Each structure stands twice: as C-alpha cells, then as structure tokens.
Amino acid sequence: MNIVKLAVGDVAEMKKQHPCGASSFRILRVGSDVRVVCLGCGRDMTLERVKFEKSIKKLNRASESAESDE
C-alpha cells in the first residue's frame, strides 16, 4: 500500500458525500490522524489517516492552485 502525500491546504474530494451534501474537504493537519474541514458546512473533524486515504477520490494540491494564481 502506498502512502498518499498529504499537505496542509490540499482539498480532497471524497468518494462519499458529507451529510450536508458536499464532498470536498480542506486538510488542516496531517499526522497519524488527519484533521479536515467540510467546504460545504464548515464542520471540523479528525479522521484516522488510513481510513481517510482509502476514501479519497481526487486530491487537489494547494501548491498547484497557488502557482496558477501567479
């Protein structure tokens, strides 16, 4: 199993939607647990890293969007 390189500020699109209907989460903290905030309702939550990595559909890097703004 490969470890997904996560960074603070990245936006993860998940396979399943949050109860509010959004499926995008911004990463706030990375470690053995991952702290994310829902971009739909603003709910802040901490998830186990392994479980979080398995549920990612697409990962939008924060560095890519910063480079395109310049």
Side-chain angles (χ1 to χ4, degrees):
M1 184 171 102
N2 292 336
I3 296 175
V4 179
K5 295 197 183 221
L6 302 171
V8 173
D10 290 352
V11 176
E13 187 178 327
M14 309 306 276
K15 293 177 184 174
K16 291 186 177 180
Q17 290 184 342
H18 188 246
C20 73
S23 60
S24 297
F25 295 84
R26 182 172 313 280
I27 298 173
L28 300 177
R29 189 182 71 79
V30 179
S32 60
D33 291 329
V34 179
R35 186 170 167 218
V36 296
V37 64
C38 176
L39 295 180
C41 65
R43 169 72 78 160
D44 189 334
M45 59 192 110
T46 302
L47 305 165
E48 293 177 29
R49 186 182 183 121
V50 174
K51 202 170 189 181
F52 180 75
E53 287 178 1
K54 287 180 182 177
S55 61
I56 293 175
K57 180 161 75 172
K58 182 180 176 187
L59 187 63
N60 298 320
R61 304 277 179 197
S63 59
E64 290 175 1
S65 61
E67 291 172 4
S68 63
D69 290 343
E70 295 175 0

